[in-house]
Structures are given as structure tokens and as C-alpha cells.
Amino acid sequence: MVGWIILAVLAILILLVFFLPYGVDVGYADEVLRVGIKAGPLRIWLLPKKPLTEKQRLKAEAKKAKKEARRAAKAAKKAAAAKEKEIKPKPKFDFDTIVALLRMGSHAIRRFFRSFTVNFFQLHYTVACRDPYDTAIQYGTACAAAETLPALAGKKIRVLRRDIEIGADYTSEEPTISVRIVLSLQLFRLVHLAVALGVEFLKWKINSRP
């Protein structure tokens, strides 16, 4: 009985890991960049960073020094091993192989970006110029671009919520902009992408055999 309970708990944890959305939350407003990472409802902000205390600063400097020392030792060890190791000739690729690999790479990149979901996209832009005539011209251009952007993005990327506002301020000379985008990706989509890419690679290997 206990064994079945443990298996059930492990299965639930695996499902949560694979189906829980992971992503980033990036925003810019009032000349401040905000960057955060998210896993489901949990969100951790990386920027802007909070000022470190004196104790935290000394600890970070000591950790950085240790990391640089390990990196230097690893580089020296790697250089010494490279001198002892015989230089093996690199495999040559013909034109057809390069084209096939590039095609598979482009397919993988397209599938990877289609796996993302835009949970929220926000764009608030207020046009302002010294000349009111220039403000009106740029306002019309920005409105046209704002109407075209969702249609273009909708064909390639799933956007769940969007908030786009374009305005004009004829009393100011400096434009203002506020942008935020929340992206998420589920691990099972990456697994599906890796399997599809592996199958495509195996088919290419089999068909390319003499």
C-alpha cells in the first residue's frame, strides 16, 4: 500500500514538472527594467536588484574570487590535456549535408518559438515631438503599426491577453513608453520537440546512407 502511495506521489510530481508552465516576465516602464522568472504561480524578480548589505557584498566578492580561481584552474587543466591529446581530423561535410542540417535547424527553431505562449503583452506608447505636426504623423504611423502587430503575431505565437494603447501628447516633447511581456513554456513541449527532431534526424541518416 505504501509503495503505491509513493508511486502515485511521484507520478503527480512528474506531471506537475512537465505540465507546469515555466517562463519569464520582462517589463520596462519609467526608465526601469524589470526581469523575473516564473514557475506556475511562483515568480522571482531578478531585476531591479535590491542593494546588498555590507555582509552580502563581502560574501559575493569572496564567492566571485573562488569561482574565478576554479575557472582558471579548469582552463589550465584543459589546456594541458589538449597538448597531450592527439589532434583528430575534423569530419568533412558536403553541400547536401550542410543544407539538410540547416533545414532541420530552421524547422527546430520555428517549432521552438511556436511552443511559447504569450500570457500577457502590454504596450503603452505616447507620442510626443517638438513639432505638433510631427506628433500627428508619428501618432498615425504608430496606430497603424499597433493594428498590424496582433494580426502578425497571431499567426505565429499564441497571445492570451494583450493591452495596447497608443496616445499623443501635444504639450510634451518627450515620448513615453511602457512595455511588458510574459512568456511561458511547458517542459512536455520541449520533449515533444526533441523527439520530433530526433525522428527527423534518424530519417535523414537512413536516407543518406549509400
Side-chain angles (χ1 to χ4, degrees):
M1 184 65 182
V2 176
W4 285 108
I5 295 176
I6 294 175
L7 287 176
V9 171
L10 289 176
I12 293 172
L13 290 176
I14 292 173
L15 289 175
L16 285 176
V17 169
F18 274 91
F19 288 91
L20 196 68
Y22 302 89
V24 294
D25 188 341
V26 181
Y28 177 81
D30 299 328
E31 299 183 354
V32 176
L33 177 65
R34 294 173 61 87
V35 179
I37 56 176
K38 60 186 293 289
L42 180 64
R43 185 178 276 99
I44 300 175
W45 293 104
L46 304 178
L47 291 176
K49 292 184 178 180
K50 296 181 180 179
L52 299 177
T53 62
E54 184 66 19
K55 184 177 180 181
Q56 290 175 333
R57 185 181 63 81
L58 293 175
K59 186 177 180 181
E61 291 178 353
K63 186 177 180 180
K64 184 178 180 181
K66 290 181 180 179
K67 187 176 181 179
E68 290 179 352
R70 287 197 300 267
R71 187 180 298 174
K74 187 176 180 180
K77 186 178 179 181
K78 188 176 181 180
K83 290 181 179 179
E84 298 177 357
K85 190 177 180 180
E86 294 182 1
I87 301 177
K88 297 182 179 180
K90 295 182 179 180
K92 296 182 179 181
F93 295 99
D94 56 12
F95 179 76
D96 293 337
T97 302
I98 295 175
V99 171
L101 293 177
L102 288 175
R103 187 182 295 111
M104 283 188 288
S106 65
H107 290 170
I109 292 173
R110 285 199 299 268
R111 290 173 181 172
F112 176 74
F113 282 106
R114 287 176 182 173
S115 300
F116 278 99
T117 298
V118 179
N119 301 90
F120 180 63
F121 175 73
Q122 182 186 64
L123 173 62
H124 292 176
Y125 179 52
T126 302
V127 183
C129 301
R130 293 184 179 180
D131 189 348
Y133 176 78
D134 293 336
T135 300
I137 294 297
Q138 291 190 18
Y139 173 71
T141 304
C143 288
E147 291 179 359
T148 307
L149 184 63
L152 293 176
K155 297 179 180 179
K156 302 295 182 181
I157 302 175
R158 291 174 297 171
V159 181
L160 301 183
R161 287 195 304 134
R162 60 173 63 93
D163 178 17
I164 301 176
E165 292 183 6
I166 306 296
D169 188 354
Y170 295 94
T171 62
S172 177
E173 297 181 358
E174 295 294 332
T176 59
I177 186 171
S178 173
V179 183
R180 185 186 178 192
I181 183 169
V182 182
L183 295 173
S184 64
L185 175 69
Q186 294 172 313
L187 288 183
F188 85 91
R189 296 186 181 275
L190 288 180
V191 175
H192 178 266
L193 175 62
V195 171
L197 186 60
V199 171
E200 189 174 351
F201 180 76
L202 288 176
K203 289 181 178 178
W204 170 76
K205 289 289 289 183
I206 293 173
N207 294 330
S208 62
R209 287 179 181 178

